[in-house]
Amino acid sequence: MTTTAESTIRNGVDTTALFATIGAVKAQPELAKFQFRATNRWVDGTHNRGTINGYYGAGQEHNRAQDFTFPADHPPVLTGGDRGPTPVEYLLHALAACLAAGLANIAAARGVMLTDVEATVEGDIDLRGILGLGGGVRNGFEQIRVSFAISGDAPAEKLRELVEQSRQRSAVFDIITNPVPVSIDVTIR
Amino acid sequence: MTTTAESTIRNGVDTTALFATIGAVKAQPELAKFQFRATNRWVDGTHNRGTINGYYGAGQEHNRAQDFTFPADHPPVLTGGDRGPTPVEYLLHALAACLAAGLANIAAARGVMLTDVEATVEGDIDLRGILGLGGGVRNGFEQIRVSFAISGDAPAEKLRELVEQSRQRSAVFDIITNPVPVSIDVTIR
């Protein structure tokens, strides 16, 4: 049994379970339909609190053992109180986390053991957009740069290929680099 | 002094400071150039940890009193361990937080007192994309729906206008609904 475990778990990824998931979705594509959610409650000024828990997927509802809650705020220089990161910083975090998780999965699937993975993400934004002062200035990031530093038991070219494959399969990378339709509905209480 | 405070702080937003910021940026547009950042360290499998702190803006570097750190993971149904939200859930949280902060600012600037603001965000995703099984299935969300429930001391139509204005000035809404260029650089250690 130890031998089996050693041969299927790489980088902390159970590749048997990963391939089983891929096989199950291949046989039954409706299992791939997921809905993720976040709720938010305004606290004060630019300070608000997000909660993440339930999601739908693989044909049923799921709930974690406990809620994940996250404060968001603006820094003082943007009339906030620094009681949490800014929303755009959470978005940069989401991008790094998505690419890193994908990299570990893909490396495991291809038999590469990773030793260390670090990423830094920088996003450039001109606030004239959100302040309503910019003729042609967009509201969001003008450019995002991700820098990975990785080590593992494969040649440099192979390791670079794994990052490239993670990029090609990343949900958050797709959402940021391509348009997603967003609808907003308002109920007045 | 109490009178002054009462007349300029609404919804926890210091409108005097807000208008001063807008005035300063108008006079000196380079103050609007910001760079936000997140770093990430891979832990194990799909589990990794993001750190948010320093940023550049208003002509100088800024550091918070302490780091904000956030775990990310996949749920068990996606070969993870639920040690944190998924990256795409952080992105939904970022969207809700951005719209809520903008709403509070805009309401304050227009003299509206908000009583309560709640938001729910749902994102539909077909995992055949990230699993490499989908011919035409994208990796990211196919559709995102935001539902606001708000109350305040203005007519329903006015409250709806505030949400619409927040949407029009939201950095995260822009990033999700329009393409942002993302570059990825890899250093092998």
Side-chain angles (χ1 to χ4, degrees):
Chain A
M1 284 177 79
T2 307
T3 310
T4 307
E6 281 175 359
S7 62
T8 64
I9 296 180
R10 259 183 235 111
N11 304 323
V13 176
D14 184 339
T15 54
T16 302
L18 178 60
F19 290 127
T21 299
I22 293 173
V25 168
K26 212 167 181 174
Q28 223 179 320
E30 64 272 24
L31 293 177
K33 292 199 176 301
F34 275 63
Q35 182 187 88
F36 289 104
R37 302 163 196 141
T39 62
N40 187 282
R41 177 174 274 274
W42 174 59
V43 180
D44 196 32
T46 52
H47 179 206
N48 55 68
R49 180 169 292 275
T51 301
I52 294 169
N53 193 333
Y55 64 96
Y56 175 88
Q60 60 182 50
E61 281 290 321
H62 300 265
N63 279 286
R64 277 88 165 210
Q66 56 183 51
D67 289 350
F68 298 114
T69 63
F70 303 102
D73 199 0
H74 287 188
V77 68
L78 288 171
T79 72
D82 253 348
R83 286 153 294 191
T86 62
V88 292
E89 289 170 308
Y90 275 111
L91 186 135
L92 298 178
H93 162 60
L95 176 60
C98 191
L99 291 168
L103 175 62
N105 270 340
I106 292 161
R110 297 188 180 183
V112 175
M113 297 287 273
L114 297 171
T115 320
D116 198 43
V117 180
E118 281 181 10
T120 301
V121 188
E122 300 172 343
D124 300 328
I125 188 166
D126 185 326
L127 296 186
R128 284 180 295 170
I130 64 171
L131 294 174
L133 296 173
V137 178
R138 71 179 294 172
N139 296 329
F141 287 124
E142 295 171 303
Q143 166 76 37
I144 294 173
R145 288 172 301 281
V146 183
S147 301
F148 269 102
I150 65 176
S151 55
D153 72 351
E157 235 6 80
K158 177 82 176 176
L159 294 172
R160 286 179 198 281
E161 271 174 37
L162 300 176
V163 175
E164 169 57 18
Q165 183 63 17
S166 175
R167 183 190 70 73
Q168 286 187 24
R169 285 282 161 261
S170 166
V172 177
F173 182 89
D174 174 30
I175 294 165
I176 293 175
T177 58
N178 296 298
V180 177
V182 177
S183 68
I184 300 181
D185 178 66
V186 182
T187 301
I188 307 296
R189 278 182 179 160
Chain B
M1 284 175 78
T2 306
T3 311
T4 307
E6 279 175 2
S7 63
T8 64
I9 296 181
R10 260 183 232 110
N11 305 322
V13 175
D14 184 338
T15 54
T16 302
L18 178 59
F19 290 127
T21 299
I22 293 173
V25 168
K26 212 167 180 173
Q28 224 179 319
E30 64 272 26
L31 293 177
K33 293 200 174 302
F34 275 63
Q35 183 187 87
F36 289 104
R37 303 163 195 142
T39 62
N40 187 282
R41 177 174 275 274
W42 174 59
V43 179
D44 196 32
T46 51
H47 179 206
N48 55 69
R49 179 169 293 276
T51 300
I52 294 168
N53 193 334
Y55 64 96
Y56 175 88
Q60 61 182 51
E61 280 290 321
H62 301 265
N63 279 285
R64 276 88 164 211
Q66 57 181 52
D67 289 352
F68 298 114
T69 63
F70 302 103
D73 199 1
H74 287 187
V77 69
L78 288 172
T79 72
D82 252 347
R83 286 154 294 191
T86 62
V88 292
E89 289 170 308
Y90 275 112
L91 187 133
L92 297 179
H93 162 60
L95 177 59
C98 191
L99 291 167
L103 175 61
N105 270 340
I106 291 162
R110 297 188 181 184
V112 175
M113 296 287 273
L114 297 170
T115 320
D116 198 44
V117 179
E118 281 182 10
T120 301
V121 188
E122 301 172 341
D124 301 328
I125 188 167
D126 186 326
L127 296 186
R128 284 180 294 170
I130 65 171
L131 293 173
L133 296 173
V137 179
R138 71 180 293 173
N139 296 328
F141 287 124
E142 295 171 304
Q143 167 76 36
I144 294 173
R145 287 173 302 280
V146 183
S147 302
F148 269 102
I150 65 177
S151 55
D153 72 350
E157 234 7 79
K158 177 82 176 177
L159 293 172
R160 286 180 198 282
E161 272 174 37
L162 300 176
V163 175
E164 168 57 17
Q165 183 64 17
S166 176
R167 182 190 71 72
Q168 286 187 24
R169 285 282 162 258
S170 166
V172 177
F173 183 88
D174 173 30
I175 294 165
I176 293 176
T177 58
N178 296 298
V180 177
V182 177
S183 68
I184 300 181
D185 177 66
V186 183
T187 301
I188 308 295
R189 278 180 178 162

